[in-house]
Amino acid sequence: MQQDELWIGTMLEGNARWVLVKSTDTAEEARRRHGMSPVATAALGRLMTGALILASSLKGDESITLRLLGDGPLQGVVAVGNAQGQVRGYVREPLVDLPLKASGKLDVGAAVGRGELSVSRSLQNGEVYTGMVPLVSGEIAEDLVHYLLNSEQIPSALLLGVLVEKDYHVAGAGGFLIQLLPGASEEVIQTIENLLGQLETGISELVAQSETMDQLLSRLMGQLSYHVLERRPIGFTCTCSKERLSGTLVSLGKKEIADLISDEKAEMVCHFCNEHYHFDVDELQEIWERA
Ligand SMILES: [Zn+2]
């Protein structure tokens, strides 16, 4: 399919809004950068897709950070999305390998474990609001629905999926959110439940099988009426730079920096994108002077 996109629209005569994301290339980029196992790719791909969906209602340079703080072998998954459709993220243990579930699916719930989901919104005025809920299953979509209902009182249905091939490549990744708008009738709720109940194929398989976003959307909606309001490009983008990481070195203090100078080099790695930055003696000297 074409490049990754996020679409926003309404359905059922304006009684519900939806957000659809195709994030195949975004998840593949994360997999490649972090060298992740299939279950780690699925966990991070789902969380990054969820971050893009939740960030789609933000403005300007606002961003949202999702953190899965679980006791499973991944030891934590973090994704940051913003209103421009940029997302980045990492898992603490990228090589985790677990047996498949009886259904043949990757066992994301076991890899995440039990714990909490934290959602932080950074707003334009510089304020950060953080909400926490216990994890329901660690499967991520369910956990985000639980958060939206309990912390934001928005009844939502959410599908998130990442299809990983035997050779570890991402064949399809995406997400589909439906939210009821105020005043939605029991009939609308029933129609949406029926729609999602009828989807026999997972969202990741549907993304992999669809050639365009239009085709994907019409497969998801079936016979229901809908409108597309907005289409945005999305992708894996990190905000790191050598300049930014040199600031981190400055904050270590003169003594630590002097140790690095005596080692004659230093390397800094960005957690979010796994980019390696090298600093030579001259650069470290300049950082020492700034400290
Ligand atoms: Zn980075």
Side-chain angles (χ1 to χ4, degrees), residues 10-11 14 19 40 50 69 73 90 109 120 125 133 155 182 222 239 242 252 258 268 275:
T10 59
M11 62 193 287
V19 181
L69 308 161
Y90 65 93
S120 298
N125 58 13
V133 290
T239 51
K242 193 164 185 178
L252 289 176
M268 295 284 285
E275 193 73 42

Side-chain angles (χ1 to χ4, degrees), residues 179-200:
Q179 290 185 322
L180 294 174
L181 293 174
S185 65
E186 199 52 46
E187 195 188 338
V188 166
I189 296 170
Q190 198 56 52
T191 306
I192 291 170
E193 280 176 5
N194 290 345
L195 173 75
L196 296 175
Q198 280 163 10
L199 284 177
E200 287 167 14

Side-chain angles (χ1 to χ4, degrees), residues 218-240:
S218 73
R219 282 180 180 177
L220 284 163
M221 292 294 189
Q223 304 298 314
L224 300 182
S225 65
Y226 60 87
H227 286 286
V228 180
L229 300 175
E230 253 189 274
R231 299 172 173 84
R232 305 175 185 173
I234 57 141
F236 189 105
T237 309
C238 195
T239 51
C240 68

